[in-house]
Amino acid sequence: MTAPLIFEQPLHERIRLLLRLEALTQRFGDALQAGQPYDHHEALVSLVDIYALVTRVDIKRELMGEIERQTANLQRLADQPGIDASRFRSTMDDQRRLHSALEEQAGALDGAVRENEFFNSVRQRMALPGGAFDFDLPIYHHWLSQPVEARTELLREWFRPLESVTEATQHVLRYIRGSGNDRSVTAEEGFLEQPLDSQHAWQMIRVSVDPQLGIYPEISGGRQRFTVRFMDPGDFRSRPNPVREDVTFGLCCCAL
């Protein structure tokens, strides 16, 4: 059976930030592991984007705030019947450990690359379309010719300050995704609109679609309601068209 395609729509700017960071770190890890020179080019491109993202906002403070909020909400469940006490303690221990790791990390996240002339020269050239060509950056061409072990070691060294942020991001998003209940719903004539209970702090809408349907959802939402409109991309050469048939799909509204 074909795995469904999952589309996620953040309902909070903090979650939008964390989803971007998660995608970039996954892209970095995949390219790093692949190991070919142009894979490591993509890994470095991702690393430049990650540092641009985490230095634009105080990502450690954002994560610590989200962990504190999650911990407070989870604590309210401690005395609920049916709670697995051992699993609950493990979850709370993880929350405290991640919060402490972020709190104890001294200095700016980009301290390892801020004064590195090689990294900064690559970062500056990558701001231009096709800026990292051999004739623009001979040192970069030379680096890509180094043994895979040497390139991997340097990329991991530059990524190391981001490890606690990456782990915390993964945990936070996993708990948010696990907070919702998947259900099957139908978008009549390709469109669904539903209200959201304002008593909950909704953070994410997740839509699961059978890829064999050949369609995709456009999701929009706020604090009070959300909509899902299914679109047919056709051959990707012309404007997508709204789906006019009923579509059954998986829906998960997440709030923790």
Side-chain angles (χ1 to χ4, degrees):
M1 183 176 179
T2 306
L5 284 175
I6 298 177
F7 299 82
E8 296 181 328
Q9 176 65 30
L11 300 178
H12 189 285
E13 193 58 35
R14 176 184 285 168
I15 307 306
R16 187 183 303 274
L17 170 67
L18 297 184
L19 286 172
R20 285 180 175 146
L21 181 57
E22 179 190 51
L24 285 170
T25 54
Q26 287 176 346
R27 190 181 303 169
F28 170 81
D30 290 345
L32 181 69
Q33 186 174 5
Q36 294 300 313
Y38 283 100
D39 294 316
H40 279 179
H41 168 81
E42 292 301 324
L44 188 51
V45 169
S46 297
L47 196 57
V48 167
D49 286 344
I50 292 169
Y51 273 116
L53 184 65
V54 301
T55 55
R56 190 177 302 133
V57 297
D58 190 344
I59 188 66
K60 287 193 292 186
R61 184 172 298 277
E62 290 291 329
L63 278 166
M64 289 166 63
E66 184 61 25
I67 290 171
E68 289 166 3
R69 193 192 65 80
Q70 287 189 359
T71 300
N73 288 341
L74 288 169
Q75 193 63 54
R76 299 190 185 103
L77 302 175
D79 298 325
Q80 294 293 319
I83 290 293
D84 185 328
S86 176
R87 185 176 179 183
F88 181 81
R89 284 194 301 270
S90 176
T91 297
M92 298 303 284
D93 287 344
D94 277 343
Q95 296 288 83
R96 285 188 287 268
R97 177 181 60 81
L98 293 168
H99 189 280
S100 296
L102 292 168
E103 194 172 34
E104 293 168 3
Q105 185 170 2
L109 287 173
D110 65 343
V113 299
R114 184 185 295 174
E115 304 301 328
N116 186 285
E117 185 174 345
F118 173 45
F119 185 90
N120 285 320
S121 64
V122 173
R123 174 160 52 185
Q124 290 168 7
R125 295 305 306 181
M126 284 182 177
L128 303 173
F133 277 115
D134 302 350
F135 52 81
D136 288 313
L137 281 175
I139 189 174
Y140 187 50
H141 180 51
H142 176 67
W143 178 71
L144 288 175
S145 72
Q146 298 303 298
V148 61
E149 295 82 8
R151 297 195 310 267
T152 300
E153 181 182 356
L154 186 58
L155 287 167
R156 284 179 173 163
E157 178 183 323
W158 285 340
F159 184 77
R160 198 164 292 122
L162 301 166
E163 288 176 350
S164 59
V165 166
T166 299
E167 184 183 8
T169 298
Q170 292 170 347
H171 275 73
V172 163
L173 291 175
R174 185 170 72 247
Y175 291 140
I176 290 173
R177 289 170 176 135
S179 68
N181 293 317
D182 290 298
R183 55 194 176 96
S184 179
V185 298
T186 298
E188 296 182 1
E189 297 185 354
F191 181 77
L192 176 76
E193 181 177 18
Q194 285 195 0
L196 290 168
D197 186 346
S198 59
Q199 294 183 352
H200 297 283
W202 300 101
Q203 295 169 293
M204 185 190 299
I205 303 295
R206 305 184 81 221
V207 169
S208 303
V209 183
D210 183 348
Q212 295 183 353
L213 295 177
I215 59 178
Y216 67 94
E218 291 184 343
I219 312 167
S220 63
R223 295 182 178 181
Q224 296 182 333
R225 66 184 62 252
F226 70 93
T227 63
V228 180
R229 162 70 73 184
F230 283 95
M231 305 293 291
D232 182 352
D235 61 2
F236 299 96
R237 294 181 177 86
S238 57
R239 183 188 298 273
N241 293 311
V243 174
R244 300 302 183 187
E245 300 173 349
D246 291 356
V247 178
T248 299
F249 65 98
L251 176 66
C252 185
C253 302
C254 305
L256 178 59

